[in-house]
Amino acid sequence: MSLSNQEIAFLLDNAAQKAKAVAQVSAKQSISIKDAYAIQKTSIEQRYTRGEKLVGLKLGFTSKAKMEQMGVHDMIWGRLTNSMQYKNGDDLSLKKFIHPRAEPEIAFLIKKDITKPITLKTAPSVLIGIAAAIEIIDSRYEKFKFSLEDVIADNCSSTGFVLGQWYDPSTDIADISMELCVNDEVIHSGSSAAILGNPMQSLVDAVRLSLQYGEPLKRGMVVLAGAATPAIYLKKGDKVEARVKTLGKVGLKVVK
Ligand code: OOG
Ligand code: MG
């Protein structure tokens, strides 16, 4: 028997809350992209009923490196809530997660409520700042395996993020080096240009999607551009850091 969208939404929310993986939904029943976004919405609404607040959006699969690592082919978007945010340098306890991974990102801080599409040229005018970031992703599916529809329903694996210092929106981020380091060793490196040719394009797309889905970006919200490199699994004792040229460093310490 197939599950309703609401049942899938509750299943995924529960899996996240209990840090216990569930079977891939698409292995048993087919869901459309439209269903998947509806499931994500219902699942995140469960968080709102527990007092969490929407604080931004994330884009995923905006680089070839990420699409290849996860075997999917299209850009996706998910929601960020206040409970997902860590402070730079915080401890990250493995207990809260199933099989967490980290990836280096670029974040944008929105200056005004955005009611119409923007372009690469006008993008900096809607921003307060740009920062280096790390996203923590933790698929609620066993073995971190999913279809595009599965991962959309699962809020695009989003589970945490940490932001570095904000820099001026005019900072040139089109082609800057991005490194993911563990205990000061560079594990993955790439260029921000791997993100849609320019991570600013992620912001343009985030605005387009937010308008399309009727949840426009508001002043104070954060947008994560999507990773330029593959993600890495986290282990106890790891000091994980993103180092982004001109945007500095941001990191977390992984504890039990
Ligand atoms: C899905 C999330 C992808 C990114 O930056 O591309 C993503 C996943 O890899 O589990 O966040
Ligand atoms: Mg990401």
Side-chain angles (χ1 to χ4, degrees):
M1 218 185 67
S2 58
L3 300 174
S4 68
N5 284 354
Q6 193 184 53
E7 283 167 332
I8 300 170
F10 290 179
L11 178 83
L12 291 167
D13 178 56
N14 195 48
Q17 260 193 299
K18 302 234 165 79
K20 196 162 181 334
V22 294
Q24 218 180 313
V25 173
S26 70
K28 295 206 198 86
Q29 70 186 84
S30 81
I31 49 173
S32 65
I33 299 274
K34 194 166 167 237
D35 282 335
Y37 277 111
I39 294 166
Q40 179 192 132
K41 185 161 188 275
T42 305
S43 172
I44 297 300
E45 278 165 0
Q46 285 301 103
R47 290 175 175 256
Y48 303 154
T49 65
R50 296 193 293 269
E52 292 184 39
K53 299 270 179 297
L54 180 72
V55 297
L57 300 182
K58 63 160 283 183
L59 290 195
F61 304 135
T62 50
S63 70
K64 271 217 180 68
K66 277 292 301 186
M67 285 193 258
E68 277 167 13
Q69 184 183 32
M70 306 317 292
V72 297
H73 55 274
D74 231 344
M75 188 194 293
I76 57 178
W77 71 276
R79 295 165 168 92
L80 303 173
T81 73
N82 61 326
S83 78
M84 298 179 189
Q85 187 164 5
Y86 288 80
K87 284 206 221 58
N88 195 359
D90 268 357
D91 283 353
L92 179 106
S93 167
L94 289 174
K95 285 201 188 105
K96 289 176 67 180
F97 306 105
I98 303 166
H99 34 208
R101 285 172 148 170
E103 53 191 21
E105 300 245 358
I106 287 175
F108 303 103
L109 183 58
I110 305 294
K111 185 163 78 181
K112 54 185 183 191
D113 297 2
I114 304 179
T115 53
K116 44 182 207 303
I118 58 168
T119 63
L120 268 184
K121 224 170 144 190
T122 60
S125 73
V126 304
L127 293 178
I128 297 170
I130 303 176
I134 294 177
E135 186 185 18
I136 307 296
I137 52 175
D138 190 30
S139 176
R140 269 55 68 164
Y141 299 113
E142 288 159 358
K143 302 200 174 87
F144 226 112
K145 289 198 97 160
F146 43 68
S147 67
L148 196 62
E149 292 80 7
D150 286 323
V151 68
I152 291 167
D154 184 28
N155 198 31
C156 307
S157 306
S158 200
T159 198
F161 66 100
V162 56
L163 305 170
Q165 189 196 317
W166 292 112
Y167 283 77
D168 193 89
S170 64
T171 309
D172 185 359
I173 55 161
D175 183 10
I176 54 177
S177 88
M178 300 183 71
E179 292 174 340
L180 182 59
C181 304
V182 175
N183 300 330
D184 291 318
E185 188 193 337
V186 180
I187 309 292
H188 287 303
S189 62
S191 162
S192 65
I195 307 165
L196 301 172
N198 175 354
M200 233 13 146
Q201 183 60 43
S202 276
L203 179 64
V204 173
D205 285 312
V207 167
R208 175 178 58 76
L209 290 165
S210 73
L211 295 171
Q212 183 185 324
Y213 284 87
E215 288 194 40
L217 287 161
K218 299 247 162 54
R219 179 181 167 80
M221 282 188 171
V222 169
V223 173
L224 293 181
T229 74
I232 51 152
Y233 281 111
L234 296 174
K235 311 185 294 310
K236 186 183 143 207
D238 285 350
K239 186 188 89 178
V240 55
E241 202 167 59
R243 297 179 186 164
V244 182
K245 189 83 191 266
T246 67
L247 300 178
K249 300 175 186 178
V250 58
L252 292 168
K253 179 85 203 296
V254 183
V255 298
K256 199 159 177 253

